[in-house]
Amino acid sequence: MRLGATTVLVGERGGKYPQGNSLLIEGAEETAIVDPSVAVAEGRFDLARVDRVLNSHCHEDHVAGNGRFPDVPWHFHEADAPGIRSLDGLMAIYGFDGPVDVAWRRIVVDQFHFTSRPDPTTFRDGDVFDLGGGIRVRVVHAPGHTRGHSFFHVEPDDVLYLGDVDLSSFGPYYGDAWSSLDDFERTLALARRLDARWYATFHHVGVVEGRAAFLERLDRFTAVISDRERRLLEFLREPHTLDDVVAHRFVYRPQDVVGFADPVERRSMSQHVERLAASGRLRQVERGRWLAA
Ligand SMILES: [Zn+2]
């Protein structure tokens, strides 16, 4: 799919995880690839020329194909750069322990082709990549999913690449050690104010045209957060521990087979518990047992 200078390299199954939709942005002087996917790693696209790799954030599926481009700069937001410098750096972003960490390391390397690099180039909010011929890519820092997660706005085609603000029915993912629910909510509010002609996501929603269609999807995506919170408050009409919350599942469905579901449920829902307790909507009936007020 082509949007001016930007081509969407649609992954298998429309880019549904673990696949994704990378962008190729061709200026008069340089070509950049955004978030090289597993399909890029496996050579499914004929890419004649790539001068830079731009990564929206450091997660396994977004950096899978970086290793195909060992001789060009890899650009990350400065907050996520430690994740590409080493496998340990990447694992710190997730924050898993014990057997989940061990199993996930293997998957990241074997299935996602993770390639570390000691010298990524870092960017900050507002930085611009000038690819020549009027084609420019502007960074919009949009943290929450990870600390450094960023959007890219491609001018003048007016394509806003949203990375993992992916507008999916799964909803916002803030289940890593380096995720933040509060930051994610600020990012969603920011996204609501950003105007573009095309909105592109890494996963299967792909490209949305026009602000009205984008806002409709963004609102549905955002509503998943309040829905998780509402279900949590309902569950805590009876006193429960965080372990009970994890076992009940609010992020994944009980039937979903996901190796890291427990730590993700714990990290995600503990952020809800903390803020509900801070605002007086939950209280501890005894140490570690929570009840809706
Ligand atoms: Zn991600």
Side-chain angles (χ1 to χ4, degrees):
M1 181 175 194
R2 210 177 161 103
L3 312 165
T6 302
T7 306
V8 183
L9 306 174
V10 178
E12 285 161 66
R13 297 189 302 146
K16 199 167 157 59
Y17 182 88
Q19 294 288 338
N21 306 314
S22 309
L23 299 187
L24 194 71
I25 308 170
E26 294 169 276
E29 282 147 36
E30 291 190 351
T31 296
I33 190 165
V34 175
D35 287 354
S37 64
V38 171
V40 170
E42 294 172 355
R44 308 282 167 88
F45 299 100
D46 185 19
L47 301 171
R49 175 179 169 177
V50 168
D51 302 291
R52 295 180 186 282
V53 177
L54 309 186
N55 291 102
S56 66
H57 64 295
C58 199
H59 265 165
E60 73 288 353
D61 46 337
H62 296 253
V63 302
N66 277 37
R68 299 272 303 183
F69 312 102
D71 304 321
V72 308
W74 296 358
H75 299 270
F76 285 82
H77 188 278
E78 56 189 357
D80 268 23
I84 201 69
R85 291 197 181 106
S86 67
L87 182 56
D88 285 340
L90 178 66
M91 297 311 289
I93 291 179
Y94 307 116
F96 302 149
D97 307 309
V100 175
D101 175 84
V102 171
W104 186 235
R105 274 172 196 266
R106 178 163 302 164
I107 290 171
V108 159
V109 172
D110 294 350
Q111 294 174 29
F112 291 94
H113 316 284
F114 179 72
T115 307
S116 64
R117 182 164 170 175
D119 62 342
T121 309
T122 58
F123 56 68
R124 291 180 177 182
D125 184 56
D127 282 0
V128 172
F129 297 91
D130 189 342
L131 305 182
I135 307 300
R136 291 150 53 93
V137 182
R138 190 170 49 86
V139 173
V140 181
H141 186 210
H145 181 68
T146 63
R147 292 176 187 165
H149 183 277
S150 296
F151 299 154
F152 297 120
H153 185 237
V154 185
E155 301 160 358
D157 299 326
D158 206 13
V159 178
L160 182 65
Y161 175 72
L162 298 161
D164 270 351
V165 175
D166 66 9
L167 310 177
S168 64
S169 57
F170 178 88
Y173 176 98
Y174 40 88
D176 286 0
W178 282 29
S179 304
S180 160
L181 170 56
D182 290 343
D183 284 349
F184 211 131
E185 289 186 319
R186 281 188 281 272
T187 281
L188 291 166
L190 166 72
R192 246 191 154 279
R193 299 193 298 270
L194 297 178
D195 226 338
R197 174 164 181 215
W198 308 97
Y199 298 83
T201 70
F202 188 65
H203 293 297
H204 59 295
V205 169
V207 177
V208 173
E209 182 175 6
R211 189 169 160 77
F214 167 65
L215 288 181
E216 191 191 314
R217 284 194 177 265
L218 184 70
D219 287 345
R220 259 186 285 156
F221 182 71
T222 303
V224 174
I225 295 176
S226 49
D227 187 58
R228 287 175 189 150
E229 198 150 291
R230 180 188 57 74
R231 288 187 292 123
L232 177 65
L233 283 167
E234 232 168 69
F235 183 66
L236 294 177
R237 281 192 198 154
E238 300 287 328
H240 288 290
T241 64
L242 193 55
D243 285 344
D244 299 334
V245 169
V246 169
H248 186 78
R249 290 206 173 180
F250 292 87
V251 177
Y252 295 101
R253 297 168 303 177
Q255 69 269 28
D256 292 340
V257 181
V258 179
F260 44 71
D262 283 3
V264 170
E265 293 282 347
R266 184 173 300 274
R267 170 69 185 142
S268 302
M269 299 316 291
S270 66
Q271 294 178 80
H272 285 283
V273 167
E274 272 165 33
R275 71 185 197 175
L276 288 167
S279 65
R281 297 176 71 195
L282 287 184
R283 63 186 175 87
Q284 287 196 75
V285 284
E286 56 191 272
R287 204 177 154 75
R289 282 163 67 84
W290 296 94
L291 182 69

